[in-house]
Amino acid sequence: MHGAGAALERTARIDLGLAILQCLARPGVPLTQADIAAWCGCARGLIYAIEQKALRKLHNRLLFIRDPRLVEAVKELSTLVRRGDRREAA
């Protein structure tokens, strides 16, 4: 399958993997991007890209709200995510 059909199939596979993982994940047990990618049947880099896009969207929405406490919390979360990527790569 090529083009839009392949993209929809990939998106559906990732959504299904995330739904299954959400049901099976134990609360308080962190998952690496590699763990999530394995469940979703995709590359870790794609999970990273999805995560970064979500963080940017959240950051932009919080800036729109103009609540400095929320903006700071997102910045801290972004920093933790980046640190986690470096530990995972090591």
Side-chain angles (χ1 to χ4, degrees), residues 57-76:
K57 282 183 174 182
L58 180 60
H59 185 267
N60 290 338
R61 288 181 183 156
L62 292 175
L63 286 176
F64 181 74
I65 294 171
R66 302 270 192 245
D67 185 339
R69 294 170 298 163
L70 295 174
V71 172
E72 191 59 39
V74 169
K75 285 180 184 177
E76 185 177 319

Side-chain angles (χ1 to χ4, degrees), residues 74-86:
V74 169
K75 285 180 184 177
E76 185 177 319
L77 178 60
S78 296
T79 302
L80 290 173
V81 167
R82 279 190 231 111
R83 282 189 205 143
D85 291 338
R86 279 190 237 125

Side-chain angles (χ1 to χ4, degrees), residues 30-48:
L31 296 168
T32 65
Q33 291 173 347
D35 295 334
I36 298 167
W39 277 96
C40 295
C42 66
R44 187 195 66 82
L46 183 58
I47 298 300
Y48 175 80

Side-chain angles (χ1 to χ4, degrees), residues 9-23:
E9 184 179 316
R10 181 180 67 197
T11 299
R13 188 174 57 245
I14 291 170
D15 288 346
L16 178 60
L18 290 172
I20 292 170
L21 188 56
Q22 186 177 14
C23 293

